[in-house]
Amino acid sequence: MGLLVYFSSKSENTHRFVHKLNIPAQRIPISPEDEMPEIREPYVLVVPTYADGEGRGAVPKQVIRFLNDEKNRAFIRGVIGAGNRNFGQFYAYAGDVIASRCQVPCLYRFELMGTEDDVVIVNNGIDKLWK
């Protein structure tokens, strides 16, 4: 089975969602001073969106720093985007940006901390992905 790598801000929405899943997970630290994890196995990245009204700043800086490590980037197999539907066209936009730049699929999108249906869908989807 693969791994989830995720970023969650102090709101902890993405953290709460990831911990509802039955999947091993590694968190990208909130503090820019903290050491970045080195992931050397296939993983799916779970990332919230922090875009302004024009889509700028969608990908958290910590996630950019994590993906700037070529070895970390080499093992990404897909992205799951999180967001708030109030942001319209930029809902879960960070997932789309990363999928495009890393040439991997955006596998799913969920709002805020996700629903129980989101948990079931992601668990089933990730299970199929790793088989």
Side-chain angles (χ1 to χ4, degrees):
M1 176 185 256
L3 177 70
L4 291 180
V5 175
Y6 72 99
F7 176 76
S8 186
S9 69
K10 291 179 183 176
S11 75
E12 298 285 309
N13 284 336
T14 306
H15 177 75
R16 284 192 281 276
F17 178 75
V18 167
H19 280 275
K20 293 178 196 174
L21 302 169
N22 299 318
I23 303 167
Q26 172 74 46
R27 186 174 184 164
I28 295 171
I30 294 173
S31 173
E33 291 83 35
D34 289 348
E35 187 174 335
M36 279 292 146
E38 293 180 357
I39 306 300
R40 303 301 183 254
E41 64 181 288
Y43 68 90
V44 170
L45 181 64
V46 183
V47 62
T49 298
Y50 298 107
D52 65 11
E54 296 180 21
R56 293 180 300 238
V59 179
K61 289 179 180 162
Q62 297 88 329
V63 175
I64 293 169
R65 185 171 153 226
F66 170 78
L67 290 171
N68 278 341
D69 178 332
E70 188 176 317
K71 292 177 185 171
N72 283 340
R73 203 171 53 249
F75 288 95
I76 188 171
R77 297 297 181 262
V79 184
I80 296 173
N84 185 323
R85 292 187 193 278
N86 290 340
F87 291 100
Q89 68 181 0
F90 297 115
Y91 163 66
Y93 186 56
D96 296 328
V97 170
I98 293 168
S100 174
R101 294 220 173 122
C102 293
Q103 299 180 337
V104 296
C106 186
L107 301 167
Y108 194 71
R109 292 169 186 79
F110 67 93
E111 187 170 24
L112 301 173
M113 64 188 91
T115 65
E116 288 307 312
D117 285 344
D118 293 325
V119 170
V120 170
I121 290 166
V122 170
N123 271 327
N124 289 339
I126 294 293
D127 188 49
K128 287 178 187 174
L129 177 70
W130 299 133
K131 284 185 177 175

